[in-house]
């Protein structure tokens, strides 16, 4: 089966997405997500200007060979742009192969290892009371696992807290919110005082059962993260995510010395090499890499297999800036992967779902990728064309007391 064409579709149904469509001489078409929030056009160009010319005429069934060709052949290896582009090609080729076999993608990976994919919801609020209400609302929707993020007293804008608006579902949160990076103010002291109070209120409201998660979003130093982990131990979190920037692996050893709160890292990682030391030294409990930013299904399987040797479980990233194509492919991976942990579930908007019709479903805290051949996600290019690209950036953080540029 030969690749005869490939198109890069950039659209913005409320936020930007980049989708790669690969066509074959047998009429089968595959889709891959190539969205990199805030740097979308870099990946679109990497694909259309540099990758697509190399794909035409290749055998679509040779997924591994094409992966190696694009990874080794680039010379300049790794990085979010390169690996998102490779991921899009890989995902589209797995979609095609599964369609050619007439099977849902998870069957090609090894079949289902579980009856459904446990997901976690996003509950956020401007203060503790509003956040508790949102956690209870998601508990009532059947979620077994809920992430809680709230505003911090004394800080104007904080990661993970949506702006209440008439045209978006309650709690909707889109971080890429401006045509130039918006500036948030940050105070570690105010956050460290507040976070334990938030979880004391949430845990007492929901009881012992629900899994509670929290995303620190890279904003603490290692010792501050260690302190937060200790302070949160009474509330038994499922995980504390991105407690400190993960460039320095040794930082996580310090966190481990002080707290048993489980740690999740990896949504900004893009190859197994980023993950390797944290997994091998058992400094994390969940690896957050997912299909779109970590080289596709082919590479994500390698990361999961390494993690399984150290009892590290998967916890794929699943924010709304990863398209439904990524969500669909990830759910097939999640249904198969033996060391599955949890899947993030931030429902897309109705506009986005109209662009990307899909077979996956949610019910009572679990998702399922569906049984249609392939990964089960398509693109309506006519609807996509109604939403042209609109430049948008992720925010930056500045220390409130002196304006030092900080981690967002
Ligand atoms: C967050 C993301 O969902 C998460 O865990 O870290 O929302 C992240 O902020 C965005 O994906 C960045 O584009
Ligand atoms: Mg995160």
């Amino acid at each position: 089966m030969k690749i005869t064409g490939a198109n890069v579709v950039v659209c913005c149904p409320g936020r930007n997405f980049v989708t790669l469509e690969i066509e074959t001489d047998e009429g089968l078409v595959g889709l891959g997500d190539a969205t990199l929030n805030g740097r979308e056009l870099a990946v679109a160009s990497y694909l259309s200007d540099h990758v697509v010319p190399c794909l035409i005429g290749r055998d679509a069934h040779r997924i591994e060979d094409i992966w190696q060709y694009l990874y080794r052949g680039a010379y300049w290896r790794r990085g979010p742009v390169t690996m998102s582009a490779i991921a899009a090609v890989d995902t589209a080729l797995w979609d095609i192969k599964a369609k050619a076999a007439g099977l849902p993608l998870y069957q090609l990976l090894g079949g289902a290892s579980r009856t459904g994919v446990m997901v976690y919801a996003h509950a956020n609020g401007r203060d503790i009371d509003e956040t508790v209400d949102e956690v209870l609302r998601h508990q009532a929707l059947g979620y077994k696992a809920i992430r809680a993020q709230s505003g911090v007293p004394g800080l104007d804008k904080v990661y993970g807290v949506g702006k209440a608006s008439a045209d978006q579902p309650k709690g909707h949160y889109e971080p890429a919110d401006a045509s130039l990076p918006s500036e948030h103010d940050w105070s570690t002291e105010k956050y460290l005082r507040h976070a334990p109070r938030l979880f004391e209120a949430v845990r007492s409201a929901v009881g012992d059962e629900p899994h509670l998660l929290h995303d620190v979003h890279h904003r603490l130093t290692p010792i501050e993260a260690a302190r937060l982990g200790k302070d949160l131990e009474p509330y038994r979190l499922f995980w504390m995510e991105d407690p400190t920037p993960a460039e320095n692996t040794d930082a996580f050893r310090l966190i481990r010395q002080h707290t048993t709160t489980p740690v999740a890292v990896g949504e900004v990682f893009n190859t197994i090499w980023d993950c390797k030391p944290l997994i091998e030294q058992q400094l994390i409990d969940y690896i957050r890499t997912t299909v779109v930013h970590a080289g596709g299904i082919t590479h994500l399987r390698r990361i999961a297999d390494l993690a399984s040797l150290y009892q590290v479980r998967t916890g794929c990233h699943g924010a709304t800036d990863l398209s439904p194509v990524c969500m669909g492919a990830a759910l097939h991976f999640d249904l198969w992967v033996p060391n599955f942990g949890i899947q993030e579930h931030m429902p897309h908007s109705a506009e986005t779902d109209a662009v990307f019709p899909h077979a996956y479903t949610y019910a009572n805290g679990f998702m399922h990728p569906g049984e249609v051949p392939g990964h089960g996600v398509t693109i309506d290019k006519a609807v996509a064309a109604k939403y042209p690209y609109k430049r948008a950036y992720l925010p930056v953080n500045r220390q409130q007391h002196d304006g030092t540029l900080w981690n967002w």
Side-chain angles (χ1 to χ4, degrees):
M1 183 183 343
K2 293 283 183 238
I3 295 171
T4 51
N7 315 296
V8 178
V9 180
V10 182
C11 65
C12 188
R15 60 143 297 100
N16 291 309
F17 294 109
V18 180
T19 307
L20 175 70
E21 182 185 51
I22 293 181
E23 297 157 341
T24 64
D25 60 1
E26 293 185 15
L28 292 175
V29 174
L31 288 188
D33 184 15
T35 307
L36 185 62
N37 203 359
R39 297 296 184 270
E40 293 86 358
L41 297 189
V43 187
S45 166
Y46 192 104
L47 283 166
S48 48
D49 295 325
H50 303 295
V51 168
V52 168
C54 303
L55 294 178
I56 308 306
R58 290 191 177 277
D59 179 350
H61 276 303
R62 296 186 66 182
I63 298 177
E64 186 66 57
D65 182 63
I66 290 173
W67 197 99
Q68 298 295 334
Y69 179 90
L70 294 178
Y71 180 79
R72 299 171 192 270
Y75 185 74
W76 313 106
R77 297 181 182 190
R78 303 167 69 183
V81 173
T82 297
M83 298 313 294
S84 297
I86 292 175
V89 174
D90 186 78
T91 307
L93 294 178
W94 274 107
D95 190 23
I96 288 168
K97 188 180 277 293
K99 285 172 178 173
L103 290 170
L105 175 53
Y106 74 86
Q107 293 290 15
L108 269 64
L109 304 178
S113 305
R114 53 196 55 81
T115 53
V117 175
M118 182 172 76
V119 292
Y120 72 88
H122 277 215
N124 58 69
R126 287 164 293 185
D127 56 30
I128 288 178
D129 289 345
E130 197 172 273
T131 308
V132 168
D133 289 346
E134 277 297 282
V135 171
L136 291 169
R137 183 170 72 86
H138 284 90
Q139 190 181 21
L141 291 172
Y143 286 96
K144 313 303 184 236
I146 302 161
R147 188 188 87 162
Q149 306 288 140
S150 92
V152 175
L155 294 182
D156 178 26
K157 287 183 272 187
V158 169
Y159 161 73
V161 181
K163 292 189 293 280
S165 67
D167 60 341
Q168 288 295 358
K170 187 172 174 56
H172 179 81
Y173 171 64
E174 173 47 66
D177 62 358
S179 57
L180 283 173
S182 54
E183 302 217 344
H184 293 189
D185 56 357
W186 177 251
S187 160
T188 295
E189 295 71 22
K190 289 174 178 166
Y191 169 75
L192 286 177
R193 280 199 295 272
H194 176 73
R197 293 171 185 159
L198 168 66
F199 282 93
E200 181 182 23
V202 171
R203 182 55 80 190
S204 60
V206 297
D208 293 340
E209 276 306 298
H211 297 302
L212 298 178
L213 303 87
H214 183 61
D215 194 344
V216 186
H217 219 262
H218 325 276
R219 296 174 295 183
L220 300 180
T221 64
I223 198 65
E224 292 165 350
R227 178 178 146 199
L228 178 64
K230 276 179 77 163
D231 288 351
L232 294 177
E233 281 177 8
Y235 315 115
R236 293 182 320 290
L237 264 59
F238 185 87
W239 81 34
M240 170 174 71
E241 179 183 340
D242 285 332
T244 193
E247 293 96 331
N248 173 17
T249 302
D250 291 337
F252 290 82
R253 187 167 298 106
L254 193 144
I255 297 169
R256 266 320 202 218
Q257 286 163 1
H258 291 276
T259 180
T260 56
T261 295
V263 173
V265 173
E267 70 181 46
V268 298
F269 288 174
N270 48 76
T271 68
I272 196 166
W273 306 107
D274 300 322
C275 312
K276 183 171 179 290
L278 289 173
I279 290 171
E280 288 180 336
Q281 297 168 47
Q282 304 187 79
L283 298 177
I284 59 173
D285 305 279
Y286 298 91
I287 187 67
R288 293 264 293 143
T289 41
T290 195
V291 173
V292 61
H293 298 137
I297 295 281
T298 298
H299 199 58
L300 193 61
R301 294 176 86 186
R302 297 210 153 94
I303 293 171
D305 285 345
L306 172 65
S308 69
L309 301 182
Y310 299 90
Q311 300 193 69
V312 172
R313 287 176 284 182
T314 64
C316 288
H317 187 201
T320 42
D321 48 281
L322 287 53
S323 92
V325 175
C326 178
M327 175 56 86
L331 287 167
H332 284 274
F333 168 84
D334 293 333
L335 198 64
W336 155 76
V337 68
N339 51 320
F340 172 74
I342 200 165
Q343 167 67 50
E344 180 172 7
H345 180 220
M346 224 179 144
H348 290 97
S349 65
E351 282 173 304
T352 296
D353 286 345
V355 174
F356 297 99
H358 51 264
Y360 59 79
T361 54
Y362 167 79
N364 199 28
F366 291 80
M367 292 185 79
H368 194 281
E371 297 294 342
V372 303
H375 56 47
V377 187
T378 58
I379 187 167
D380 186 328
K381 289 191 280 189
V383 176
K386 293 181 190 168
Y387 303 104
Y389 169 77
K390 190 174 161 211
R391 192 180 74 194
Y393 289 87
L394 287 169
V396 298
N397 251 347
R398 286 192 180 275
Q399 294 276 8
Q400 190 177 46
H401 67 285
D402 67 0
T404 301
L405 207 288
W406 196 243
N407 306 303
W408 174 77

